[in-house]
Amino acid sequence: MLKGWTMKWVLTAVMLMSASIAVAAGDPRDSNKRLAYNGSSMECLVANDFYAVHFTALQPGKQTGEKTEFVKYCREIPSTGMLYLTLDMLDRDVRTTPIALRVVEDVLDPATGKYKSGETLKEEPARIYKSGTADTHIEITRAGHYAVIATFGQDEVIGEDDQLKIPFSVGAESPHKSGDMPKKIAFGMAALFMLFVGWFIFNHIRKTKKFVIENP
């Protein structure tokens, strides 16, 4: 029989890896058994070398089984209309830093094949968000690609590191979509780890039986 601490470690590992497999397989519910919204895990986290935020787009309406009056989305919003955009700051230090928000249209640059910031559709002047959540709202009437640009600080010279761009799409598939490869990689890593746990248990039991036989 496995020792108490060994069994506890193994069970903990199995639970963690089972959760990882569920996420990798696209489980539609979060760890609290609530309906998870589109891209509510890693795709909603946006960061550069200095700042990191969790992005959420909300639209009026209800999702099946939920009581809230808003439906949450991340990088892909299925339909046009009023959007409430929120940026939850993961660094507490930025709660004392002025932050300006700008919603822009993302346009494709034929020369590079990449999207770049186009016309500014909405702008929020720099201010301090003591709650750690910066927000704005805008009505999008045309399907396409857009972005929120958060500028940190009020210095005369703002560098690229002081800006965080969060692209999102409305009524269109995101050109920034990462696809299923990250899920496949996560699933593969989880499966390998489960094999390792199984080998560990088997090897431990085999050694225990051998010890009992040799030392009756």
Side-chain angles (χ1 to χ4, degrees):
M1 181 179 292
L2 294 177
K3 292 183 179 180
W5 69 268
T6 305
M7 179 62 75
K8 183 182 294 185
W9 181 87
V10 170
L11 290 176
T12 301
V14 170
M15 291 175 64
L16 288 174
M17 297 316 298
S18 297
S20 299
I21 291 175
V23 172
D27 193 333
R29 291 181 178 268
D30 62 18
S31 59
N32 294 317
K33 300 302 179 184
R34 296 174 302 193
L35 287 171
Y37 55 96
N38 184 23
S40 59
S41 55
M42 294 304 294
E43 290 184 11
C44 277
L45 296 176
V46 185
N48 60 15
D49 291 339
F50 295 95
Y51 304 101
V53 305
H54 185 278
F55 173 72
T56 308
L58 300 95
Q59 276 189 320
K62 277 190 176 183
Q63 192 164 354
T64 304
E66 293 290 287
K67 296 181 179 180
T68 178
E69 297 296 331
F70 292 91
V71 180
K72 296 179 180 180
Y73 298 101
C74 186
R75 306 290 282 275
E76 291 187 34
I77 297 92
S79 59
T80 58
M82 183 63 71
L83 290 179
Y84 297 87
L85 310 175
T86 64
L87 285 69
D88 293 308
M89 310 299 166
L90 302 186
D91 187 353
R92 294 183 64 88
D93 291 342
V94 300
R95 296 189 180 191
T96 58
T97 302
I99 302 172
L101 299 178
R102 189 159 54 97
V103 182
V104 302
E105 188 172 9
D106 242 9
V107 295
L108 182 64
D109 185 353
T112 63
K114 298 181 180 180
Y115 281 82
K116 64 179 182 179
S117 302
E119 179 186 359
T120 297
L121 306 177
K122 179 73 179 291
E123 195 165 5
E124 300 281 358
R127 68 184 183 91
I128 294 175
Y129 294 89
K130 294 182 179 180
S131 65
T133 299
D135 61 281
T136 186
H137 63 277
I138 185 173
E139 185 170 8
I140 301 293
T141 59
R142 183 175 60 187
H145 308 298
Y146 303 87
V148 180
I149 300 176
T151 302
F152 298 83
Q154 287 182 306
D155 297 336
E156 294 183 0
V157 179
I158 297 294
E160 291 185 3
D161 291 334
D162 298 316
Q163 292 188 331
L164 186 60
K165 182 177 180 179
I166 307 166
F168 63 92
S169 298
V170 179
E173 185 175 355
S174 173
H176 309 282
K177 192 172 183 179
S178 58
D180 293 331
M181 185 56 67
K183 291 182 180 180
K184 292 180 179 179
I185 293 174
F187 188 87
M189 292 178 65
L192 287 174
F193 193 86
M194 290 294 289
L195 287 174
F196 169 76
V197 171
W199 173 85
F200 178 85
I201 295 174
F202 172 78
N203 193 52
H204 187 92
I205 293 175
R206 182 177 61 83
K207 288 183 178 180
T208 301
K209 287 183 177 180
K210 182 178 180 181
F211 177 81
V212 172
I213 293 174
E214 293 179 350
N215 301 273

